[in-house]
């Protein structure tokens, strides 16, 4: 609990905002998992009302937060509470409700149009909607205010303090080196570009058993966690001791559901590791999208796609999936780690993934700056993609139309996927270039890894900004060299 009386008062009143967020989280989870189709309309109304109530209750804290901002004796947690609330207040006070409302209407319609446009691979159909969204994004950037580049205002919404300058510096090191690495890995021919197991059909009931084993190996606590099925896998933190994840079963290529389970479990482990003392406060959340993604990528890739993990999960795979039995652990490892140039981000492997986010980052930066028109996006996308990966999308369905993000008004999001990869590799480096991971997996016990992450990252919640947190743990922030070193180690040594 806070020592400072103003912050204590803030936290007492904040319980209302927390309760509204708690309700929104449960309703959101239900919408994606169990709600019948016809429940959508009333659910939308209820969520809209809750969002307005939450906004109102937060704005009422402005006076107290102002007072607390002048206090001199705040500890780290108290400073974090004030900082996080100021960020919410900035958004609510600077963005007029009409603009929020317009964005909501425009994106709801745009998402429906985008689905059809993608199916038909018809960018022109989506273009007028995207033009409106880009216009609104620029307005939001202007209202929020920024230094140097309007895109900075949007990047900051997802990754506090992260700028065009930071992103340019990450990609300038990552992209040319990744190109060279990819050429070397392809030439070496150890990691296959395809594997027969990708086509193997599985029984969903059997695969559920395998995913239960994944969760058991990751030591997910049964009384604080549950897993369900949804169209798009996600994680939602409902309370300190109540985190839910979902996965999906597509019927073939079983690694997809297995690694989505490991990925979302990583997000869940983060949420469950936040200090109990921060419960019900504004800092009982992850530090940023990038830091959250570092946790999911760590468990999915650094742990999950390693030989040690394959050995642990192998008996369960053999037991439940008969078609796996003719492949040994080494072969399974290669199936889990195929490397190939592809057009679709969500199908990309570790080594090619960052090219995909880099394309989107380039396009967004130029469009938001007004250097490129929305109508020019497909050609810019395809040319950049060809420059990075040496292959060119044949149509917009496998190019600029593939992601849902823009139709929902999420500009500034994509870079955080790569930040997640970068920070996961920084953790790998801190864990003695992965030796600590291998030792834990050899023992079949990930407790030490969880404790390390808990002590250094999880327990703080969002007490510190993502950059401060990284400086405390690593003495550096967003260092792409760590990711390149991890790739070298994994793919070339
Ligand atoms: Mg994720």
């Amino acid at each position: 609990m806070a020592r400072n009386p103003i912050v204590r008062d803030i936290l007492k009143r904040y319980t209302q905002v927390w309760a509204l967020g708690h309700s929104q989280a449960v309703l959101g989870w239900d919408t994606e998992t169990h709600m019948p189709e016809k429940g959508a309309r009333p659910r939308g109304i209820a969520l809209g009302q809750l969002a307005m109530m939450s906004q109102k209750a937060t704005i009422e804290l402005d006076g107290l937060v102002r007072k607390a901002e002048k206090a001199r004796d705040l500890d780290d947690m108290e400073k974090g509470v004030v900082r996080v609330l100021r960020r919410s207040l900035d958004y609510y006070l600077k963005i007029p409700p009409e603009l929020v409302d317009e964005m909501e209407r425009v994106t709801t319609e745009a998402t429906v149009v985008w689905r059809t446009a993608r199916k038909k691979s018809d960018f022109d159909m989506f273009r007028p909607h995207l033009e409106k969204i880009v216009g609104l994004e620029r307005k939001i950037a202007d209202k929020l205010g920024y230094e140097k580049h309007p895109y900075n205002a949007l990047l900051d919404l997802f990754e506090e303090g992260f700028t065009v300058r930071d992103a340019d510096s990450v990609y300038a090191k990552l992209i040319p080196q990744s190109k060279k690495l990819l050429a070397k890995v392809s030439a070496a021919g150890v990691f296959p570009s395809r594997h027969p197991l990708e086509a193997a059909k599985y029984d969903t009931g059997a695969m559920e058993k395998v995913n239960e084993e994944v969760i058991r190996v990751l030591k997910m606590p049964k009384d604080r966690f549950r897993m369900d099925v949804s169209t798009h896998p996600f994680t939602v933190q409902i309370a300190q001791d109540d985190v839910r994840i979902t996965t999906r079963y597509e019927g073939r290529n079983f690694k997809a559901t297995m690694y989505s389970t490991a990925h979302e479990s990583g997000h869940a482990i983060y949420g469950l590791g936040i200090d109990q003392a921060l419960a019900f406060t504004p800092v009982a959340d992850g530090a940023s999208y990038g830091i959250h993604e570092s946790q999911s990528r760590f468990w999915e890739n650094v742990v999950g796609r390693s030989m040690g993990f394959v050995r642990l999960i192998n008996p369960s795979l053999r037991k439940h999936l008969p078609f796996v039995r003719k492949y040994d652990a080494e072969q399974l490892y290669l199936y889990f780690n195929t490397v190939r140039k592809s057009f679709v981000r969500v199908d990309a492997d570790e080594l090619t993934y960052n090219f995909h986010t880099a394309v989107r980052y380039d396009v967004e930066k130029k469009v938001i700056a007004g250097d490129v028109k929305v109508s020019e996006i497909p050609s810019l996308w395809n040319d950049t993609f060809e420059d990075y990966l040496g292959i060119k999308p044949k149509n917009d369905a496998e190019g600029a139309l593939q992601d849902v993000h823009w139709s929902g008004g999420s500009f500034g999001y994509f870079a955080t996927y790569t930040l997640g990869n970068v920070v996961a590799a920084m953790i790998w480096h801190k864990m003695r270039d992965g030796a600590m991971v291998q030792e834990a997996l050899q023992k079949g016990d990930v407790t030490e890894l969880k404790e390390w992450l808990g002590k250094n990252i999880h327990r703080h919640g969002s007490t510190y900004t993502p950059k401060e947190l990284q400086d405390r743990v690593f003495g550096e922030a967003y260092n792409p060299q760590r990711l390149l070193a991890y790739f070298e180690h994994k793919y070339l040594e």
Side-chain angles (χ1 to χ4, degrees):
M1 204 57 199
R3 289 174 305 116
N4 182 283
I6 309 166
V7 178
R8 254 205 319 262
D9 202 6
I10 289 174
L11 291 179
K12 212 171 120 201
R13 289 162 196 243
Y14 181 80
T15 312
Q16 197 184 11
V17 179
W18 173 84
L20 291 164
H22 178 79
S23 316
Q24 286 169 301
V26 179
L27 294 185
W29 170 80
D30 176 74
T31 304
E32 300 294 329
T33 52
H34 298 304
M35 186 186 75
E37 216 177 295
K38 293 277 181 191
R41 223 180 78 81
R43 181 56 48 85
I45 294 169
L47 282 169
Q49 287 293 318
L50 287 170
M52 283 197 309
M53 288 158 77
S54 173
Q55 176 164 356
K56 189 165 167 274
T58 306
I59 288 173
E60 280 166 9
L61 296 172
D62 188 35
L64 278 172
V65 172
R66 253 175 233 274
K67 261 195 215 167
E69 278 165 341
K70 288 187 199 116
R72 283 164 183 279
D73 59 339
L74 301 187
D75 64 22
D76 285 4
M77 182 266 211
E78 293 166 338
K79 280 184 205 155
V81 167
V82 173
R83 189 191 93 255
V84 169
L85 282 174
R86 177 50 62 201
R87 274 172 68 76
S88 297
L89 284 163
D90 257 358
Y91 192 85
Y92 289 143
L93 295 170
K94 289 181 179 173
I95 310 291
E98 307 85 65
L99 185 51
V100 176
D101 199 49
E102 195 181 351
M103 186 60 121
E104 186 65 35
R105 275 186 292 112
V106 169
T107 53
T108 304
E109 199 188 331
T111 306
V112 178
V113 176
W114 165 76
R115 274 197 207 108
T116 315
R118 187 175 72 156
K119 257 186 222 136
K120 295 185 176 171
S121 191
D122 183 353
F123 187 82
D124 273 340
M125 188 181 169
F126 183 50
R127 185 182 42 79
H129 298 271
L130 190 54
E131 281 166 350
K132 274 188 215 161
I133 292 170
V134 167
L136 293 172
E137 294 287 342
R138 281 211 207 102
K139 261 191 206 167
I140 288 174
D142 286 340
K143 296 280 182 201
L144 289 173
Y146 54 83
E147 275 175 43
K148 289 185 184 137
H149 200 297
Y151 193 35
N152 283 340
L154 304 179
L155 287 172
D156 182 80
L157 289 175
F158 298 98
E159 194 74 10
E160 185 177 358
F162 188 71
T163 62
V164 164
R165 204 180 137 167
D166 296 324
D168 283 349
S169 143
V170 168
Y171 283 123
K173 290 182 193 108
L174 201 52
I175 296 302
Q177 286 304 315
S178 297
K179 275 190 196 175
K180 284 183 199 157
L181 268 167
L182 184 58
K184 276 192 210 165
V185 172
S186 306
V190 176
F191 290 86
S193 61
R194 307 214 168 251
H195 196 281
L197 279 169
E198 287 172 71
K201 288 184 188 162
Y202 61 75
D203 169 70
T204 299
M207 198 59 221
E208 278 171 355
K209 294 274 194 305
V210 174
N211 281 342
E212 275 167 30
E213 178 66 7
V214 171
I215 282 169
R216 198 193 61 78
V217 168
L218 299 186
K219 294 191 179 260
M220 302 308 291
K222 280 240 156 73
D223 53 345
R224 306 171 69 210
F225 164 87
R226 63 172 283 140
M227 177 160 85
D228 294 85
V229 174
S230 69
T231 318
H232 300 285
F234 67 92
T235 301
V236 59
Q237 177 145 31
I238 285 169
Q240 203 84 357
D241 291 311
D242 181 356
V243 179
R244 324 242 175 126
I245 72 163
T246 66
T247 191
R248 69 173 158 210
Y249 296 98
E250 293 163 305
R252 65 174 73 210
N253 196 19
F254 71 90
K255 68 179 172 183
T257 180
M258 204 179 105
Y259 284 113
S260 109
T261 302
H263 178 99
E264 301 307 331
S265 293
H267 283 301
I269 291 167
Y270 189 2
L272 292 167
I274 295 171
D275 194 335
Q276 293 286 346
L278 306 184
F280 311 107
T281 76
V283 290
D285 198 359
S288 68
Y289 280 71
I291 303 294
H292 232 299
E293 195 67 5
S294 76
Q295 299 309 296
S296 54
R297 298 288 183 181
F298 176 81
W299 291 100
E300 176 192 353
N301 292 332
V302 178
V303 174
R305 288 184 210 270
S306 73
M307 195 61 206
F309 186 81
V310 175
R311 287 202 186 93
L312 281 181
I313 202 76
N314 193 14
S316 173
L317 290 172
R318 302 189 114 59
K319 184 172 166 202
H320 299 293
L321 307 176
F323 55 82
V324 162
R325 287 173 201 154
K326 63 178 168 190
Y327 300 97
D328 60 13
E330 180 73 27
Q331 268 299 320
L332 283 171
Y333 175 76
L334 294 175
Y335 161 57
F336 295 146
N337 287 289
T338 52
V339 175
R340 67 167 170 264
K341 297 172 178 180
S342 65
F343 295 111
V344 178
R345 176 182 60 85
V346 295
D347 298 336
D349 52 78
E350 283 183 86
L351 203 48
T352 59
Y353 193 92
N354 304 300
F355 293 111
H356 293 263
T357 70
V359 169
R360 288 151 177 81
Y361 168 74
D362 281 358
V363 170
E364 288 188 0
K365 185 174 69 171
K366 288 179 181 154
V367 168
I368 294 299
D371 296 340
V372 156
K373 290 201 282 280
V374 168
S375 59
E376 295 166 322
I377 287 178
S379 59
L380 174 63
W381 178 294
N382 293 349
D383 292 346
T384 314
F385 201 90
E386 190 177 23
D387 173 26
Y388 290 168
L389 275 158
I391 52 175
K392 198 165 186 163
K394 290 180 292 300
N395 56 58
D396 294 330
E398 62 182 22
L401 280 176
Q402 65 183 271
D403 293 304
V404 69
H405 302 58
W406 290 345
S407 72
S410 290
F411 275 73
Y413 193 119
F414 286 115
T416 67
Y417 291 130
T418 281
L419 298 184
N421 295 333
V422 167
V423 176
M426 288 162 69
I427 295 166
W428 168 84
H429 176 66
K430 267 279 173 193
M431 291 181 168
R432 292 179 278 121
D433 288 347
M436 204 175 133
V437 177
Q438 293 322 313
E439 286 158 18
L441 293 175
Q442 248 153 34
K443 281 186 277 180
D445 187 351
V446 298
T447 307
E448 249 180 70
L449 306 180
K450 280 183 152 182
E451 280 174 359
W452 191 97
L453 295 168
K455 181 171 100 112
N456 289 292
I457 297 172
H458 301 169
R459 70 184 167 102
H460 301 300
S462 52
T463 298
Y464 305 107
T465 69
K467 274 183 188 166
E468 284 166 356
L469 181 68
Q470 288 173 77
D471 281 335
R472 289 173 68 96
V473 182
F474 308 108
E476 59 184 9
Y478 308 118
N479 182 356
Q481 300 296 355
R482 305 300 178 206
L483 183 54
L484 291 164
Y486 164 77
F487 285 153
E488 288 249 2
H489 180 90
K490 172 163 183 172
Y491 292 98
L492 293 170
E493 275 167 26

